[in-house]
Amino acid sequence: MRIEAGQRFRDMRLNAFRRLSRTVWVVDHLLPGQRGLAHAVLVDASDPIRRKTVSTLALADRSFYAPLVDGDDAAPAALPGAARPPTPLRG
C-alpha cells in the first residue's frame, strides 16, 4: 500500500472500553527512514495538536490502522460481543 500525505486512517486497536477508537488520523507528511523504513507523521483530524509518528509498515497493516475513503468519518461500530451492558446487581 502506498502511503501519501492527506490519507486518512482509523486506529483499529480497542480502547479501555473495548471499543474501536473514533479518532481519524491524517497523514501530515512522510519522513525518510534509515535502512529504507519510512515513517508517517499523523495528525488527529479533530485536534491538530495531537500528533504521532508511526512506521509506514504499521500504517499499512490493517490490524493496526484501517484506511478511510473520502466521507467515511462515521464512528466505527463496536466489535461484535466486545461491549456488553453491565449485569444488574441483585441484592
Side-chain angles (χ1 to χ4, degrees):
M1 167 184 228
R2 183 178 167 97
I3 307 295
E4 298 176 345
Q7 281 182 294
R8 298 144 48 87
F9 293 85
R10 187 173 315 270
D11 193 330
M12 295 305 293
R13 293 172 291 178
L14 298 179
N15 64 19
F17 302 105
R18 297 191 43 82
R19 295 194 183 271
L20 291 175
S21 171
R22 295 175 185 249
T23 304
V24 173
W25 293 100
V26 181
V27 177
D28 186 58
H29 62 277
L30 298 175
L31 300 172
Q34 296 178 353
R35 300 184 200 125
L37 183 59
H39 287 74
V41 176
L42 304 179
V43 178
D44 183 337
S46 64
D47 182 4
I49 293 175
R50 289 187 59 204
R51 295 176 165 260
K52 63 181 174 178
T53 303
V54 298
S55 76
T56 54
L57 290 177
L59 199 53
D61 185 339
R62 292 193 182 219
S63 63
F64 291 113
Y65 293 92
L68 299 176
V69 295
D70 289 338
D72 187 13
D73 283 345
L79 293 177
R84 295 184 177 92
T87 305
L89 297 176
R90 296 182 184 181

